[in-house]
Amino acid sequence: MIELNADIGEGHDDASLMPYLDRVSIASGGHTGDAASMAAALRLAADHGVAVGAHPSYPDRAQFGRRELSASAGEIARWVTQQTELLAEQAVRLGLRLAHVKPHGALYNVAARDAGVARAIAQAVAALDPALILVGLAGSQLVAAGQTAGLVVLHEAFADRRYQRDGRLVSRETPGALIVDPRLAAAQAAALAQGLAIDTLDGSPLRLSADTICLHSDTPGAIKIAEAVHAALKRG
């Protein structure tokens, strides 16, 4: 069964999501999160045997890391390093080790299309720990940069987001960008897991090769979506 992951530590009902997940990316202080929330998320994941990773972002709490910021490659590398190290420090205190790094929000989307930003992130992760997995949008510049940096990468697809015909995610500001119907999210996840084409927002077919499927803890009805997606993936 293809793995299911979620972004957590963002102030939502993470405990109810955990039974359905294989991997979680924990907010690491950029868009939200502090030492207490990181430790709580790490403990919760450990209790459920779920792999843990950092979820670094643009340092922009006001916009929840979902606004693109102008930044140099050095600044981006520093932000990724600092936020990942913050979570890693909490993990060490609990006897845990980070498995991966996955950028959040606007940083994730910029890295998907911008080779320079992707390279800055990948090189920062490789310098921190070459055993860390880099998670990025399936077929994107980020996973390509991770491979070039010698990292293991995971191509990620989304159960609760709509796509453009070029494989990028539809902006959250666009009506219909989120999939909130559990049945539709489950159907999209099942198609992705089987390598079948999915419908983009404009109705054109898109085929993606994915290693991991994500859902968001802040999507309305996230728990019902997780339940439906998990069941669909388990059915194969």
Side-chain angles (χ1 to χ4, degrees):
M1 185 177 83
I2 191 170
E3 70 169 35
L4 183 59
N5 79 79
D7 307 331
I8 70 165
E10 298 175 338
H12 302 283
D13 186 4
D14 297 334
S16 294
L17 281 177
M18 278 299 159
Y20 306 109
L21 303 176
D22 304 292
R23 182 182 303 275
V24 291
S25 302
I26 299 171
S28 306
H31 61 293
T32 191
D34 55 23
S37 67
M38 291 182 216
L42 286 163
R43 290 191 193 96
L44 187 60
D47 288 345
H48 288 82
V50 174
V52 296
H55 201 33
S57 68
Y58 288 120
D60 182 16
R61 288 178 175 246
Q63 298 297 321
F64 201 67
R66 287 177 172 156
R67 173 183 61 178
E68 180 178 346
L69 301 182
S70 177
S72 68
E75 288 173 316
I76 289 168
R78 184 167 66 253
W79 294 333
V80 169
T81 299
Q82 290 173 342
Q83 293 175 43
T84 303
E85 285 180 334
L86 280 175
L87 184 65
E89 289 169 6
Q90 295 297 323
V92 167
R93 292 191 180 106
L94 297 171
L96 303 174
R97 184 181 179 88
L98 300 187
H100 70 273
V101 174
K102 172 191 165 182
H104 163 81
L107 184 58
Y108 180 96
N109 289 321
V110 173
R113 67 174 191 267
D114 187 312
V117 171
R119 184 165 53 251
I121 294 170
Q123 290 177 349
V125 172
L128 269 172
D129 182 354
L132 285 167
I133 296 168
L134 183 60
V135 181
L137 187 66
S140 70
Q141 292 286 346
L142 184 56
V143 292
Q147 290 169 330
T148 299
L151 298 168
V152 174
V153 299
L154 289 179
H155 292 255
E156 182 177 53
F158 291 83
D160 57 359
R161 294 291 303 277
R162 290 293 188 193
Y163 284 84
Q164 303 176 54
R165 64 174 63 195
D166 64 0
R168 296 178 188 173
L169 296 173
V170 173
S171 168
R172 284 178 173 268
E173 298 176 1
T174 302
L178 293 182
I179 300 175
V180 297
D181 185 329
R183 294 171 299 175
L184 295 179
Q188 178 157 298
L192 289 164
Q194 295 167 27
L196 302 176
I198 60 172
D199 288 333
T200 60
L201 190 60
D202 69 4
S204 56
L206 173 68
R207 193 182 302 272
L208 297 170
S209 178
D211 304 306
T212 185
I213 292 177
C214 178
L215 53 88
H216 293 87
S217 59
D218 65 344
T219 296
I223 308 306
K224 292 293 185 182
I225 291 171
E227 182 180 9
V229 169
H230 181 269
L233 296 179
K234 191 173 181 181
R235 287 194 299 269

